[in-house]
Amino acid sequence: MKRHDFWQGLVAAAAVVGLFGGFGTVAQAKSTAKTVTFGQLTNHNTHRLAAIRQAARQQILTQTHAKSRRVAAVYQVKLPHHMTKKATLTANGVKMNLLANSFKVKSITIPYTQLRGKILNRYIPKADRTKAVKGKVVALTFDDGPDPTLTPKLLKILKKNHVHATFFEVGQSVSRYPKISRAVLAGGNELGNHSWNHPDFNSIGTAKTVNQVMRTNRDIYAATGQLPQYVRPPYGNITAAEGRAIEQPIIRWSVDSRDWSYLNKQKDINSVMRATRNGSIVLMHDIHAPSVAAVPTIIHKLKAKGYHFVTVSQLYNNQALPGLQYFGAGDYRVAGR
């Protein structure tokens, strides 16, 4: 795994798949409708096109006020796979026409704010573009929740310290404690998919892996009204075929606290502080009391070293794309590799 200086690494990595394509362009999306191809929108980047499909599914559900039982159906809607297909730039977002579908929707308009990092910046109004974070940054992530006692306690700690984190939740726990999942988002944090019941994806095959992810997407949507953007595979294991089939960015980590093995507050603190670097993604769990107890000290010590805490989306400036897996700033590869 390569290690880079944060900004040099991010720019170098982004260049490979054209993530910064068009960022130097100052032209603002026009209020008058304009027809463009998906190739133009994405700089012919298939990962970006997959990200547009991901945003389109959320928009279909939102636009139709769909119940959670319809989540599986939205993945059956035929969405663009070819760069020559056309869309329309409008004042409110990118409009695309749909083929006949069970939602009976003829077209959708995806807001520009939902397409940050997915289409080239030249097609996004300046006011809707994101700005890359500056300085030393670290993303705290927590797996295996929500826990009815520990997750609310952790949320209070984060709020008190003005820190936002990314939570990768297990579907069966989300179905039991949906209010806690809503509280995660209400606190300004991110919520990702960590499978339905934590199997090793490599051992169950692509079809069952997709089912694990879809069931969890459904329950997160039922709890929050939002499909999770990211997936973190249990144990970090995922095949290339599974990565393609899921069509969501895969978020791994660069700092493994091993809190699940220590179950010791001080060891957790020492482990994180020893390994954290600029642009790190830190893996912890909000189902272990010592882990949650270690968080205030970890935050205090990292702030003292000049770190700012960001969500995964902020770390990547909203440019994490389906089909790729991310380990830390400037360190990513095709899923399954």
Side-chain angles (χ1 to χ4, degrees):
M1 186 181 297
K2 296 181 180 180
R3 303 293 180 191
H4 307 281
D5 173 82
F6 176 51
W7 289 113
Q8 290 179 344
L10 182 55
V11 172
V16 177
V17 294
L19 297 185
F20 287 120
F23 272 34
T25 303
V26 297
Q28 186 171 338
K30 298 179 180 179
S31 59
T32 56
K34 177 182 179 182
T35 300
V36 293
T37 66
F38 285 100
Q40 290 173 311
L41 288 174
T42 65
N43 198 28
H44 295 274
N45 185 305
T46 57
H47 298 290
R48 282 184 181 269
L49 186 54
I52 293 175
R53 292 195 294 271
Q54 186 181 12
R57 295 183 186 108
Q58 176 65 57
Q59 185 59 32
I60 292 169
L61 293 172
T62 299
Q63 188 168 312
T64 61
H65 306 285
K67 301 294 185 182
S68 61
R69 65 178 180 273
R70 299 289 286 151
V71 166
V74 83
Y75 287 88
Q76 302 304 315
V77 177
K78 293 182 179 180
L79 296 170
H81 280 76
H82 300 289
M83 296 297 178
T84 55
K85 296 294 183 181
K86 295 180 179 180
T88 304
L89 301 179
T90 73
N92 298 318
V94 175
K95 179 182 179 181
M96 66 172 70
N97 295 323
L98 303 179
L99 296 175
N101 57 81
S102 64
F103 291 86
K104 299 181 180 180
V105 175
K106 294 183 178 180
S107 68
I108 57 172
T109 299
I110 307 173
Y112 290 111
T113 54
Q114 302 304 312
L115 292 170
R116 294 167 175 164
K118 298 173 176 60
I119 66 175
L120 302 188
N121 249 11
R122 68 169 68 106
Y123 299 109
I124 299 179
K126 288 183 179 180
D128 293 327
R129 300 177 189 177
T130 57
K131 295 182 179 180
V133 293
K134 298 180 180 180
K136 294 169 62 177
V137 293
V138 59
L140 292 181
T141 67
F142 299 92
D143 285 10
D144 294 355
D147 180 272
T149 302
L150 295 175
T151 303
K153 183 176 182 179
L154 175 58
L155 291 175
K156 290 180 180 179
I157 292 170
L158 295 176
K159 182 178 180 179
K160 180 179 179 180
N161 289 276
H162 306 288
V163 167
H164 294 145
T166 304
F167 291 72
F168 291 93
E169 297 190 336
V170 176
Q172 63 181 4
S173 295
V174 174
S175 67
R176 292 174 188 155
Y177 312 113
K179 290 183 179 180
I180 300 177
S181 295
R182 287 194 289 273
V184 168
L185 292 184
N189 305 288
E190 287 186 324
L191 202 160
N193 184 319
H194 194 42
S195 82
W196 171 254
N197 61 358
H198 211 276
D200 184 336
F201 286 174
N202 283 1
S203 69
I204 64 175
T206 300
K208 290 183 178 179
T209 291
V210 170
N211 183 58
Q212 285 273 329
V213 172
M214 292 303 107
R215 288 182 71 184
T216 304
N217 282 352
R218 179 198 65 195
D219 284 295
I220 290 177
Y221 177 81
T224 68
Q226 296 291 318
L227 293 174
Q229 184 170 358
Y230 307 118
V231 171
R232 172 170 282 169
Y235 315 106
N237 293 335
I238 190 167
T239 67
E242 290 163 352
R244 290 192 298 271
I246 289 171
E247 277 206 350
Q248 291 171 244
I250 307 301
I251 306 300
R252 299 281 295 276
W253 57 86
S254 56
V255 176
D256 186 353
S257 68
R258 294 188 62 82
D259 56 346
W260 57 270
S261 64
Y262 298 136
L263 296 178
N264 180 284
K265 173 183 173 181
Q266 191 56 52
K267 288 185 177 180
D268 293 344
I269 294 169
N270 294 342
S271 176
V272 172
M273 294 306 301
R274 182 170 57 248
T276 297
R277 302 291 184 270
N278 191 15
S280 289
I281 297 176
V282 178
L283 168 62
M284 298 185 73
H285 298 80
D286 55 326
I287 60 170
H288 304 307
S291 304
V292 173
V295 170
T297 301
I298 289 172
I299 291 174
H300 175 75
K301 286 181 173 290
L302 287 175
K303 281 186 174 181
K305 289 179 174 289
Y307 284 95
H308 300 282
F309 293 88
V310 294
T311 63
V312 166
S313 289
Q314 291 170 327
L315 182 69
Y316 287 106
N317 198 19
N318 291 278
Q319 295 179 94
L321 299 174
L324 303 176
Q325 57 180 341
Y326 297 81
F327 297 82
D331 189 356
Y332 79 99
R333 64 202 67 165
V334 173
R337 295 181 182 176

